[in-house]
Amino acid sequence: KLIQILPLKNNFHKIAIEIGNEFGIESIIFCDTSHQFNIESVTIITVGKGNDSADFALVNKCTAGDIVITQDYGLSAMALAK
């Protein structure tokens, strides 16, 4: 359904977006106001700055069947629980 991404080191999120586009899967990036992205064919959801604010926004939006890409173990656990 959706690829939901938090920005990753070394621009790995670009690889995920490219693969999603290849298979017609919508990509969404969650970030806080300290980051800015302008990537064609990607939905950017910007949330207020705060501890784990982008993580919680992602978890609140994701549903069963979504692909969540993150390097954060805590976020991974919360996403898998959904």
Side-chain angles (χ1 to χ4, degrees):
K1 287 172 51 167
L2 298 173
I3 298 178
Q4 302 193 25
I5 307 166
L6 288 179
L8 303 171
K9 293 178 184 170
N10 300 321
N11 292 319
F12 288 128
H13 58 279
K14 292 180 182 177
I15 296 168
I17 293 164
E18 189 176 306
I19 292 169
N21 288 341
E22 200 173 303
F23 289 93
I25 301 171
E26 178 186 6
S27 296
I28 301 172
I29 290 182
F30 289 81
C31 59
D32 65 25
T33 54
S34 63
H35 299 91
Q36 270 193 329
F37 290 91
N38 186 13
I39 303 171
E40 192 173 316
S41 77
V42 174
T43 301
I44 308 294
I45 297 179
T46 305
V47 297
K49 201 172 183 181
N51 286 346
D52 301 322
S53 58
D55 294 5
F56 291 119
L58 186 152
V59 168
N60 287 332
K61 177 131 174 94
C62 75
T63 59
D66 287 353
I67 300 166
V68 175
I69 300 173
T70 180
Q71 54 196 17
D72 182 312
Y73 289 119
L75 175 57
S76 297
M78 289 189 293
L80 285 170
K82 290 205 70 175

